[in-house]
Amino acid sequence: MQTLLISTYDLGRQPFGLASAAAALRAAGIESSLADLSRERLSEDAVMRADAVAFFLPMHTATRLALPVIDRVRRLNPRARLCGYGLYAPLNASLLRERGVTTVIGGEFEDSLVAFARGEEPRADAGTVPRVEFRVPDRRGLPVLSRYATLHVGREQRIVAYTEASRGCKHRCRHCPIVPVYDGRFRVVPVDVVMADVRAQVDAGATHVTFGDPDFFNGIKHADAVIAGIAREFPGVTYDVTIKVEHLLAHAEMLPRLHETGCAFVTSAVESIDDEILGRLEKGHTRQDFERVTGLFRDTGLTLEPTFVPFTPWTTLEGYCDLLQTIDRLQLVDHVAPIQLAIRLLITEGSRLLELDEIRSMAQRFDAGSLTYRWQHPDPRVDALQAELMAIVGTKLTSSRREMFESVWTAAHRAAGVTAPARQDILPRAAVPYLNEPWYC
């Protein structure tokens, strides 16, 4: 029995979803080979040998890239059984089944993948998230860590490990793809499993760890135990985490703890500075909350890297310029990856955005090519600006964040028909740590 696990894209990092799946399959005595197509070509021999092929679909881009690969695998080996697993598999179950995928598994996938590989039907309890037996990920067969995204701090580069200390999320933000799968649930990974995975990757050369938890502070005591373990066993290793604005405020006493234990930066999905838009998205914070967090980070010496969804059906040109001016005023220009200034709201299958009458009225039919419900802004100038900015950030890949911001600043104020005010954040500052793979969806 031979199973082939395939990842097409995972934000430039070594795919945890392959390593964790391989650990479960190999523990069950099932031979498994791994293919990360973001770093290597698909082996036709591996496809031909496989009795079962499973595609890891953790995100939108990965799923789009997987569709032609699924077609190719079917042509090469029509006898192989096909599976899609990960957050975006259940969101696109109908489309996957049209392509020949027979088994669709959501977020807690390890035990169900074992059943699939054995030719059994994975148990599916409607409305629940199964509990799995967590094992230390088995990364044998994946490209070495040095081939993946690195952390940049000035001229220094660090090899990056990736792991997960928890999965799912307690919150139900309308636009989040986690919600249709977990619906407010989350699971913690035992600390000893997390530490063993980090230890193996540090032994393989990693000097920085990215925690992929949707929100690292969903389980605050668990998070504290994990970072205490990292600081104690690997004092020279840095890390980064993702935390909601509301959790950063609710647990503000933990910010010095993050700084002391080697946190290089915290990513936070701010999304917007418009309180009406934040309310529609049910983000759980306000513009004032975001500005308070920015001040707390500055006082603590921590680095905040906010992410945004600046183009929504409710965005105005004036509001977009206000966002840029706020980023500038808060001295966050170097903290924001340029792609974050051009992202357009995705409305996926199963999205809670479809609960809103105004979204249902503007969303066109589901588009299998983009894996989204397409929508047009009521002001065509907003869509035109978004397209212009996407072209800017997609072509000037070697430009600095400051150079990119200046280009975006100029284009946005020109589109709004207003004179751009004088920039405030114009002086060079200390290097901001960042991963050199800034895509986020």
Side-chain angles (χ1 to χ4, degrees), residues 293-436:
V293 164
T294 301
L296 288 172
F297 269 63
R298 187 169 292 113
D299 293 343
T300 308
L302 271 173
T303 297
L304 178 68
E305 299 207 354
T307 62
F308 299 97
V309 182
F311 288 93
T312 73
W314 312 287
T315 299
T316 64
L317 293 178
E318 295 74 20
Y320 185 79
C321 290
D322 183 32
L323 171 64
L324 298 182
Q325 292 165 20
T326 300
I327 292 171
D328 183 56
R329 174 173 56 80
L330 296 177
Q331 300 179 9
L332 293 173
V333 171
D334 291 323
H335 299 238
V336 179
I339 187 60
Q340 296 300 327
L341 303 174
I343 288 178
R344 196 170 192 267
L345 182 68
L346 297 181
I347 305 175
T348 61
E349 194 71 82
S351 172
R352 287 195 62 224
L353 288 166
L354 294 167
E355 296 173 359
L356 299 175
D357 291 339
E358 56 194 314
I359 290 295
R360 289 199 303 273
S361 67
M362 74 169 54
Q364 302 168 10
R365 64 181 179 81
F366 185 78
D367 177 58
S370 66
L371 303 183
T372 63
Y373 287 90
R374 292 189 177 275
W375 57 271
Q376 290 183 326
H377 196 283
D379 182 350
R381 297 177 304 161
V382 176
D383 283 343
L385 175 61
Q386 190 272 333
E388 179 184 359
L389 299 187
M390 187 61 79
I392 290 174
V393 302
T395 55
K396 299 182 179 180
L397 299 179
T398 60
S399 299
S400 71
R401 289 186 173 186
R402 285 179 172 262
E403 291 171 333
M404 269 307 203
F405 189 86
E406 185 64 38
S407 296
V408 170
W409 175 275
T410 300
H413 288 90
R414 181 177 62 242
V418 298
T419 302
R423 291 275 312 284
Q424 298 182 47
D425 185 11
I426 57 175
L427 297 177
R429 303 184 184 280
V432 173
Y434 67 93
L435 296 171
N436 65 343

Side-chain angles (χ1 to χ4, degrees), residues 210-336:
T210 289
F211 285 96
D213 309 38
D215 194 304
F216 194 68
F217 276 3
N218 265 321
I220 192 68
K221 292 182 179 179
H222 179 69
D224 192 33
V226 169
I227 62 175
I230 297 291
R232 181 175 57 251
E233 186 170 348
F234 311 110
V237 172
T238 56
Y239 66 91
D240 71 89
V241 293
T242 298
I243 305 173
K244 284 174 66 69
V245 168
E246 65 180 292
H247 283 174
L248 292 170
L249 289 175
H251 303 292
E253 76 284 354
M254 282 290 292
L255 300 187
R257 178 89 164 131
L258 291 173
H259 186 253
E260 293 161 5
T261 53
C263 183
F265 63 90
V266 175
T267 300
S268 191
V270 177
E271 315 300 43
S272 176
I273 60 166
D274 184 307
D275 285 343
E276 289 190 11
I277 295 176
L278 289 169
R280 286 183 171 99
L281 299 180
E282 294 190 5
K283 277 300 299 178
H285 69 260
T286 64
R287 174 186 183 135
Q288 184 179 32
D289 292 336
F290 165 52
E291 297 207 15
R292 284 178 58 203
V293 164
T294 301
L296 288 172
F297 269 63
R298 187 169 292 113
D299 293 343
T300 308
L302 271 173
T303 297
L304 178 68
E305 299 207 354
T307 62
F308 299 97
V309 182
F311 288 93
T312 73
W314 312 287
T315 299
T316 64
L317 293 178
E318 295 74 20
Y320 185 79
C321 290
D322 183 32
L323 171 64
L324 298 182
Q325 292 165 20
T326 300
I327 292 171
D328 183 56
R329 174 173 56 80
L330 296 177
Q331 300 179 9
L332 293 173
V333 171
D334 291 323
H335 299 238
V336 179

Side-chain angles (χ1 to χ4, degrees), residues 18-308:
L18 295 196
S20 188
L25 291 166
R26 290 165 179 168
I30 299 169
E31 187 178 352
S32 305
S33 56
L34 315 181
D36 180 1
L37 304 190
S38 74
R39 295 297 183 272
E40 58 192 343
R41 290 180 176 274
L42 180 63
S43 165
E44 293 191 359
D45 288 343
V47 173
M48 296 294 289
R49 290 195 303 269
D51 301 296
V53 181
F55 297 86
F56 178 45
L57 308 174
M59 55 183 293
H60 183 259
T61 301
T63 309
R64 292 186 67 181
L65 292 173
L67 295 179
V69 182
I70 292 171
D71 295 340
R72 184 181 175 198
V73 167
R74 286 189 68 196
R75 289 195 300 270
L76 289 171
N77 186 354
R79 68 175 178 81
R81 292 176 293 107
L82 306 184
C83 169
Y85 69 101
L87 284 177
Y88 269 77
L91 299 186
N92 297 284
S94 297
L95 180 61
L96 292 172
R97 290 193 171 100
E98 289 173 6
R99 310 295 273 255
V101 172
T102 58
T103 302
V104 176
I105 302 169
E108 302 297 285
F109 50 78
E110 288 85 350
D111 296 343
S112 294
L113 274 175
V114 171
F116 160 72
R118 287 173 170 165
E120 304 167 1
E121 186 64 30
R123 191 181 73 183
D125 297 328
T128 68
V129 178
R131 293 187 179 276
V132 301
E133 179 181 351
F134 291 107
R135 297 175 177 83
V136 179
D138 187 341
R139 300 174 183 276
R140 289 175 297 166
L142 286 171
V144 295
L145 289 176
S146 59
R147 292 187 60 192
Y148 290 91
T150 54
L151 178 77
H152 291 237
V153 187
R155 295 185 178 182
E156 180 189 3
Q157 293 187 36
R158 289 182 166 231
I159 294 176
V160 177
Y162 175 86
T163 194
E164 297 176 359
S166 66
R167 300 177 181 176
C169 186
K170 290 181 176 180
H171 301 270
R172 302 181 70 248
C173 305
R174 282 194 190 276
H175 63 303
C176 179
I178 297 168
V179 174
V181 177
Y182 283 90
D183 195 27
R185 303 174 182 88
F186 91 112
R187 302 280 188 263
V188 297
V189 182
V191 175
D192 60 335
V193 173
V194 178
M195 291 300 298
D197 189 27
V198 171
R199 188 177 302 118
Q201 293 181 84
V202 170
D203 288 345
T207 54
H208 178 85
V209 181
T210 289
F211 285 96
D213 309 38
D215 194 304
F216 194 68
F217 276 3
N218 265 321
I220 192 68
K221 292 182 179 179
H222 179 69
D224 192 33
V226 169
I227 62 175
I230 297 291
R232 181 175 57 251
E233 186 170 348
F234 311 110
V237 172
T238 56
Y239 66 91
D240 71 89
V241 293
T242 298
I243 305 173
K244 284 174 66 69
V245 168
E246 65 180 292
H247 283 174
L248 292 170
L249 289 175
H251 303 292
E253 76 284 354
M254 282 290 292
L255 300 187
R257 178 89 164 131
L258 291 173
H259 186 253
E260 293 161 5
T261 53
C263 183
F265 63 90
V266 175
T267 300
S268 191
V270 177
E271 315 300 43
S272 176
I273 60 166
D274 184 307
D275 285 343
E276 289 190 11
I277 295 176
L278 289 169
R280 286 183 171 99
L281 299 180
E282 294 190 5
K283 277 300 299 178
H285 69 260
T286 64
R287 174 186 183 135
Q288 184 179 32
D289 292 336
F290 165 52
E291 297 207 15
R292 284 178 58 203
V293 164
T294 301
L296 288 172
F297 269 63
R298 187 169 292 113
D299 293 343
T300 308
L302 271 173
T303 297
L304 178 68
E305 299 207 354
T307 62
F308 299 97

